[in-house]
Structures are given as C-alpha cells and as structure tokens.
Amino acid sequence: MQLPTFLAGLARPVTRAPFALVAASLLSVSVSGQAQTDSQQTQKPNILLIVGDDVGWGDLGAYGGGEGRGIPAPNLDRLADEGMTFFDFYGQPSCTPGRAALQTGRNPNRSGMTTVAFQGQGGGLPHAEWTLASVLKLAHYNTYFTGKWHLGEADYALPNTQGYDDMKYVGLYHLNAYTYADPKWFPDMDQQTRDMFVKVTTGMLSGKAGQKAHEDFKVNGQYQNEPEKGVVGIPFVDAYIEKAALEDIDDAAQRGQPFFINVNFMKVHQPNLPHPDYIGKSLSKSKYADSIVELDARVGHIMDKLREKGLDKNTLVFFTTDNGAWQDVYPDAGYTPFRGAKGTDREGGARVPAIAWWPGKIKPHSRNFDIVGGLDCMATFAALAGVDLPKNDREGKPIIFDSFDMSPVLFGTGKSKRNSWFYFTENEMTPGAVRVGQFKAVFNLRGDAGADTGGLAVDSNLGWKGPDKYVATVPQVFDLYQDPQERYDIFMNNYTEHTWTLPTFGAAVKELMQSYVKYPPRKAQSEAYSGPITLSQYERFKYIRDELQKNGFSIPMPSGN
C-alpha cells in the first residue's frame, strides 16, 4: 500500500478547531439504523435508478451544457425542470468503484472494489456485501437490473445473486473491452492474444434469481445487430437495455408491489458508436454528442412508459453517473469545468451530474448544493422503503455504511447530515483528498492537470496516465466556494493563509481511519500496479499497522508555519 508522507506523525493527537466541530460527528451519526421519520411514506414508493457512464458534469442543460454545447437533451432537461438538480454530488474516480459505491453505500476500498478489472480475471463484488437490491428485498420490493454491471464475472458477483430478482442484457465490462478481440479495431494484436480475449469475454447476460445466468449474445465493435446469429454491435446495446427497462416497468406494474428498477446504459463510455437513428442528431455532430442525444431519448422513452402506466406519482426517479468525465480520451469524452478528470482525486474526477424527480414530493426546479453522493443512495432508498440498514453483512459479520439519508434534502425538510467527502483512487486506504464544508485538502496530485508533460499533451494525461504523486509535508488546500477549479492553493498563501484548516481535515480522516480498524476492508478484488514494494515500505508496514490499532490516525501540523 502506497502511503503519503504525512503519515510520519501518525501517533500525534489532533487538536480540533472550532471551524470543524462538524467533523466530530462524521461517524457519530450511525448510518446502520436510520429509518425515515417525518417523511415516511404511508405507501412505499417505487424507485427507478438510471445510471449513465462517464457523463460529464457540464454535458447537460441543467449544468450549462445542452444546446450551448451542441448537445440538446430535452428529456433530461425536463427531469431537472420538474425535479431537483444536485451541484455538489459525488461519484468515484472510475467505473468499478463508482458502481460499487452506488450499489453498496460503502467506500469502494471497504468492499475491495477499487480497480477496473480486465475480462477473464473473474471475481467481483463479494457476496457478503449488501446491495441496493438486497436491502430493498427486506422491504419486499421487486427488483430488476439491466445494463452495465462492471462488478465482476463470478457467478456470486452477478446481479441475480446480489438481490436482483431479474437481470436482462447485463454487460460485465466497459465498452472498450468488447473491441479487444475485433481485428478491425486492433489489427496489430497477435493471434494468441486475440484468441485469449475471444475466449474470456462474456457477452450480455440474462437470468432470474436462483438460476444460472445465460448469454444472450456476444458484443463487438461493429454496426451489426444480429442477435439471431449471436452477435450485437456496440451501437445497438443501449437499445436492448432500454427494451429491458420498458419490459421491467410493464412487469412491475402488473405485479402491483413496490419495485426497484436499476437501468445502466453502456454509453457514453468511450468508444461511442451512436445507434444509426442518432448519427448526426446532435448539433456538434460528434460521436460523443450524438450518444448523449441517444441517452437522452432513451431516458425519455422510459419516463413515457412510467407515465403511461400511471406510476409516475409514486416513483422516485434518480439519474446520475459513475465518475467524472474521462478527459484522457478527448474528444470522445464528456466535459467538466473542474480540474482533473476521471482517475484523479480532483473535482473533475469525482463531481458528477445528478437529478432527482418525484412529482408532488420533490419541488420542481429545485437546486441543491449539499455535499451528497452516490454513496447516499443506499441510506436514502432504505429510509424511503422503511427499513433499517443492516448491522451485519450477509455472512453475519459487523458492517459499516458510508451512506447518509438524502430524503430531507429531496423533500425540502432539512439539510444532509453529511458535511464531508473522501476521495480515493485505486490503491488508497487513507483518502487522497478530503473535503469538509467548503474547504478541500489534496494530498495526491495524480495527473496534476498534465503539467509534467507540457501543454500539447495535457488532454491525454489528466487522469490514469499520471502516477500517484503525494505532496511532502503539507497538502494543497482550496476554498471550493471561491475556487471550485482548484487553481489557488491557500494553505500557506501570504494573503489568505489557511493552515488552521488542517486540524479539521485531520479530525475527519482520523475518524474515518478508526472505522477501518473496527471494520477491516475486504481484499482487493483486482490488482493494479502501483510501483515496487521498497525495503523501507516493508519495514514501515508493521509499525503503521500497530499504530493504527493503538492510536488511530492523525495529520500533524507542519512546523515552521
């Protein structure tokens, strides 16, 4: 485990600053038993969660995008106009941790789901984890899943073994994975490697709970739609996901019980190949923009079905995405006005669009600026369903959630109890950045906006290409109210010196790290190379483990201030 240099003062106690008394309650508010009270519904609401892939914060009209960026998205704009738009909503740095956090309500390093895995690696979301579906099953919801899963290949990790009654057209990987075996995409690949990818790449899956999933068809990178021949190209996969969602709504309406439907579109993850019906339909005529137009249309079709079935009045619809814009693959990428990109601890890596809609319950055209995120769907959905979050995992061992109930925010009855956000990349146990209130401390400068590679390479070196790069002694500190782009480090600036914020960040991280001692994280489910293990790291390992157990964690104040 690569650890930042500020761990040197691990055992030093932290003195709390008045500014951050809120940090003292970060984990004192238990999220293991919070049921909704004043906003409890007499009739359990239906819940429809729609998740895009790599949708940029600035792509949609509610965020200053839309037609102004050549991407008209009237259906998502309508959802925002009739509901609530979140401006400080957080995902995770990449697809797998983003989806793990949504499903489990836990920081991804707790479940071991921190790294995107290649096909053929097996494994996946541990069966001991609770998911949105398995928790809602406690409230007798019918549960459905369609689209991108990206949480492993093993049978125990699939949606139909993780609480979902029904899964249709489930993709196990990001879209790139389906092009690897295609000779038209990679003619330079040797035949042995190509044969390996053909063998290990699973196509779209369907199956009921308690049954073994079956493959519907393979997926390739071509404009080919021949399910009868067992192959469908990337341009058409979202049409099948939409089809499954519409069928799920029909089925749920017929059953008459509360339902949870989780729809996960595969685009707009690179490579974007829009469906033939949407080629050239954006104003900008780019593949990415055309694919956003396609996504918007499919969301519109799903909303039309809800209204047609008379389910709109008692259904919470929540739209979001997994992580920040993937600027490394520009121009086939979304837009973010923030620094950094997917794969980093900057705002550009984690701040994502989110819209909540529920006629008669959520005030139209609401705008929210609370610190909330995908982690909070778990506590929120459980509260709306009237169930407590479990205190033990599905194997009977104690479990902790990092989720806060957002329903007071949704209904305008109060603020979120969350006042902090912890940012993690693949190999971090201590967060690479911390936000408390309006202030953010950044310890891991990964990517660093491409600064090391020069201006011509900036767009292709913002995220994963950049290695972990930890600051020495002190973090960068930013005021996200005045400087949401993280341009001006105010930690030791002569005019606005903010060294006094460090005890607040230290208190927040200390409480977080103590929770890892009490609730140890699971083994990482896939490996990522983070550099060699040095002799000094090996020698420090036992010391660090013992200090965490004995004294928790602290960030020392720097000397020479």
Side-chain angles (χ1 to χ4, degrees):
M1 179 176 71
Q2 187 173 5
L3 293 171
T5 54
F6 62 80
L7 278 174
L10 196 62
R12 193 179 301 178
V14 171
T15 303
R16 298 181 187 275
F19 149 70
L21 292 178
V22 291
S25 62
L26 283 171
L27 293 177
S28 64
V29 178
S30 172
V31 295
S32 62
Q34 294 296 308
Q36 187 181 359
T37 54
D38 58 337
S39 55
Q40 184 81 43
Q41 303 297 309
T42 56
Q43 181 183 3
K44 293 176 183 177
N46 307 310
I47 301 171
L48 171 60
L49 174 62
I50 304 175
V51 184
D53 198 358
D54 290 3
V55 179
W57 192 93
D59 289 341
L60 308 181
Y63 295 90
E67 290 191 23
R69 292 199 50 246
I71 314 175
N75 296 293
L76 288 165
D77 287 351
R78 179 180 176 184
L79 212 63
D81 287 339
E82 296 178 355
M84 176 176 286
T85 305
F86 294 88
F87 289 87
D88 287 70
F89 193 94
Y90 288 95
Q92 300 295 324
S94 63
C95 304
T96 293
R99 291 165 192 279
L102 266 173
Q103 289 293 330
T104 67
R106 284 157 47 84
N107 290 331
N109 54 16
R110 295 195 192 276
S111 63
M113 302 300 293
T114 60
T115 304
V116 174
F118 271 99
Q119 59 265 47
Q121 287 188 300
L125 185 66
H127 193 262
E129 290 288 328
W130 289 95
T131 65
L132 295 171
S134 55
V135 167
L136 289 173
K137 289 302 295 179
L138 301 176
H140 309 293
Y141 273 62
N142 291 318
T143 54
Y144 307 81
F145 187 96
T146 181
K148 182 174 178 177
W149 180 241
H150 215 183
L151 296 177
E153 299 173 306
D155 287 345
Y156 67 78
L158 299 181
N160 65 334
T161 64
Q162 291 281 357
Y164 288 95
D165 298 321
D166 184 279
M167 60 181 244
K168 290 194 186 88
Y169 304 124
V170 172
L172 301 185
Y173 324 109
H174 48 76
L175 281 182
N176 307 65
Y178 300 100
T179 68
Y180 294 158
D182 192 330
K184 293 183 179 179
W185 278 81
F186 299 105
D188 54 341
M189 183 183 291
D190 65 273
Q191 191 59 45
Q192 183 178 356
T193 302
R194 192 182 317 283
D195 291 343
M196 180 272 294
F197 277 121
V198 169
K199 181 178 179 180
V200 302
T201 305
T202 303
M204 302 293 269
L205 297 176
S206 294
K208 303 283 187 182
Q211 299 177 2
K212 186 172 179 59
H214 62 272
E215 189 176 71
D216 300 300
F217 45 72
K218 296 290 186 183
V219 178
N220 67 15
Q222 305 303 317
Y223 273 85
Q224 181 178 3
N225 186 20
E226 298 178 295
E228 69 282 357
K229 294 184 180 179
V231 62
V232 169
I234 286 173
F236 300 93
V237 292
D238 278 358
Y240 287 89
I241 295 168
E242 178 194 313
K243 175 177 178 289
L246 299 179
E247 292 172 352
D248 290 344
I249 293 172
D250 281 333
D251 184 76
Q254 188 174 11
R255 292 178 182 272
Q257 291 176 250
F259 63 78
F260 170 53
I261 299 176
N262 190 184
V263 182
N264 297 260
F265 289 107
M266 303 285 280
K267 303 168 198 172
V268 288
H269 190 289
Q270 188 266 350
N272 280 287
L273 300 173
H275 186 283
D277 291 348
Y278 298 94
I279 294 175
K281 292 301 171 66
S282 69
L283 300 176
S284 75
K285 311 300 181 187
S286 73
K287 291 180 178 179
Y288 181 87
D290 288 349
S291 296
I292 285 279
V293 171
E294 178 183 347
L295 170 67
D296 178 76
R298 300 198 185 285
V299 170
H301 298 157
I302 292 171
M303 296 303 296
D304 289 343
K305 174 65 76 169
L306 270 184
R307 297 183 181 99
E308 172 195 320
K309 292 294 180 180
L311 297 169
D312 51 312
K313 296 298 188 292
N314 194 41
T315 300
L316 167 64
V317 177
F318 205 97
F319 173 86
T320 189
T321 191
D322 45 3
N323 48 253
W326 194 9
Q327 285 285 288
D328 287 333
V329 295
Y330 178 84
D332 196 13
Y335 166 71
T336 176
F338 304 112
R339 185 174 182 176
K342 177 179 178 177
T344 74
D345 289 322
R346 298 293 189 181
E347 293 298 286
R351 206 184 292 201
V352 298
I355 300 168
W357 178 92
W358 190 354
K361 299 293 192 301
I362 296 176
K363 185 179 177 182
H365 206 71
S366 301
R367 299 290 181 262
N368 181 266
F369 299 90
D370 287 17
I371 301 172
V372 288
L375 286 168
D376 299 325
C377 288
M378 174 64 87
T380 305
F381 295 174
L384 295 175
V387 296
D388 292 341
L389 291 182
K391 295 181 180 178
N392 294 314
D393 67 17
R394 295 170 74 191
E395 294 178 350
K397 297 178 182 178
I399 192 171
I400 189 173
F401 292 89
D402 301 291
S403 187
F404 288 80
D405 180 9
M406 293 184 290
S407 56
V409 174
L410 297 177
F411 304 138
T413 60
K415 301 281 288 181
S416 169
K417 288 187 173 68
R418 177 189 292 284
N419 195 51
S420 64
W421 191 263
F422 301 104
Y423 307 70
F424 301 93
T425 53
E426 291 97 332
N427 201 37
E428 291 176 323
M429 185 170 172
T430 55
V434 184
R435 177 178 179 178
V436 179
Q438 74 196 69
F439 295 105
K440 178 179 180 180
V442 180
F443 300 100
N444 182 0
L445 310 184
R446 180 182 186 173
D448 208 20
D452 291 341
T453 56
L456 293 178
V458 165
D459 288 333
S460 61
N461 290 277
L462 291 172
W464 280 325
K465 283 191 176 183
D468 291 342
K469 186 170 70 173
Y470 291 91
V471 296
T473 310
V474 298
Q476 295 179 344
V477 172
F478 302 96
D479 181 343
L480 294 182
Y481 281 175
Q482 297 192 72
D483 178 27
Q485 291 183 313
E486 299 174 77
R487 286 185 171 188
Y488 305 102
D489 179 4
I490 59 173
F491 189 82
M492 285 188 175
N493 181 285
N494 187 49
Y495 176 64
T496 58
E497 179 262 312
H498 276 64
T499 55
W500 55 267
T501 60
L502 193 60
T504 300
F505 299 125
V509 175
K510 180 178 182 179
E511 289 185 275
L512 175 72
M513 295 308 294
Q514 285 174 336
S515 76
Y516 285 96
V517 174
K518 187 174 181 181
Y519 303 93
R522 304 189 196 279
K523 180 182 181 299
Q525 297 301 300
S526 56
E527 297 294 333
Y529 182 66
S530 57
I533 298 174
T534 64
L535 288 172
S536 59
Q537 287 172 331
Y538 173 77
E539 291 167 358
R540 290 176 64 199
F541 173 73
K542 186 176 185 302
Y543 165 77
I544 291 171
R545 184 184 61 189
D546 292 345
E547 285 299 311
L548 282 172
Q549 183 71 40
K550 188 165 55 177
N551 297 314
F553 177 85
S554 64
I555 303 174
M557 281 291 289
S559 58
N561 177 17

